[in-house]
Amino acid sequence: MRWLAIGLGCALLAACGGGRETVRRPAPTVGPRVWPVVEPADPVSANAVLMRAISLVGTPYRYGGNTPESGFDCSGLVNYVYRDMLALNLPRTSRDLAGFQGPKIAPERLAAADLVFFGSSGSVSHVGIYVGEGRFVHAPSSGGTVRLDRLDGPYWRDHYSGAKRVLK
């Protein structure tokens, strides 16, 4: 009787297994990109730019806006921060900022306060200020506010068009 119970138990276990055993390999884990830390050439100025830009997170977006009181569009935010903290006047539009003098920067060489650009079909239409660890501050769109985003986020990764170093 005991052998019958053991045999029946084994048969039930085999039936639960569905016959063939399938081994699934775990999906590869893809973590966030590791962004190298690159020291800015002028850490004091870069820190001033970052602190001011981050302090503006939550300010409403407004097309053509260039002050905290009126709100910001993307290039208005960049212009305001650099003018307010460093008395540096930059071109007004994202396209003109992308053409501004200064070296182009590879993504793995980004340093705090570099400008990051986005667009499509070879045309720049958006700009932000790199803060480090793959993040940037920008004024993204109508109805939104100034915010921090990740360069490796789906939209931004797909529309990234380059970076420029303003601080020497």
Side-chain angles (χ1 to χ4, degrees):
M1 187 61 119
R2 180 174 170 197
W3 292 109
L4 180 59
I6 291 174
L8 185 57
C10 287
L12 287 173
L13 284 175
C16 290
R20 275 186 24 193
E21 185 176 324
T22 304
V23 177
R24 294 185 190 189
R25 294 179 188 228
T29 55
V30 179
R33 180 176 174 177
V34 176
W35 294 88
V37 175
V38 176
E39 287 296 318
D42 183 349
V44 172
S45 294
N47 191 56
V49 166
L50 294 188
M51 292 301 105
R52 187 61 176 136
I54 291 169
S55 77
L56 296 166
V57 167
T59 304
Y61 176 92
R62 187 178 74 103
Y63 182 78
N66 59 6
T67 67
E69 297 76 29
S70 67
F72 292 107
D73 66 10
C74 64
S75 57
L77 172 68
V78 168
N79 272 272
Y80 176 81
V81 168
Y82 275 87
R83 187 176 57 250
D84 189 41
M85 299 314 299
L86 305 177
L88 181 60
N89 291 316
L90 297 173
R92 177 59 179 98
T93 68
S94 56
R95 184 175 299 128
D96 289 343
L97 283 165
F100 185 65
Q101 273 186 311
K104 290 183 179 180
I105 306 299
E108 63 275 2
R109 300 298 307 152
L110 285 169
D114 286 345
L115 300 183
V116 288
F117 298 96
F118 306 89
S120 59
S121 303
S123 178
V124 170
S125 58
H126 192 66
V127 63
I129 300 171
Y130 186 72
V131 299
E133 298 178 356
R135 296 175 301 161
F136 66 105
V137 174
H138 65 127
S141 62
S142 185
T145 62
V146 173
R147 68 181 191 214
L148 272 167
D149 269 320
R150 298 196 62 81
L151 287 171
D152 56 7
Y155 180 84
W156 304 113
R157 176 190 60 233
D158 294 343
H159 291 86
Y160 181 82
S161 63
K164 285 275 184 134
R165 182 153 298 151
V166 175
L167 300 179
K168 309 255 190 269

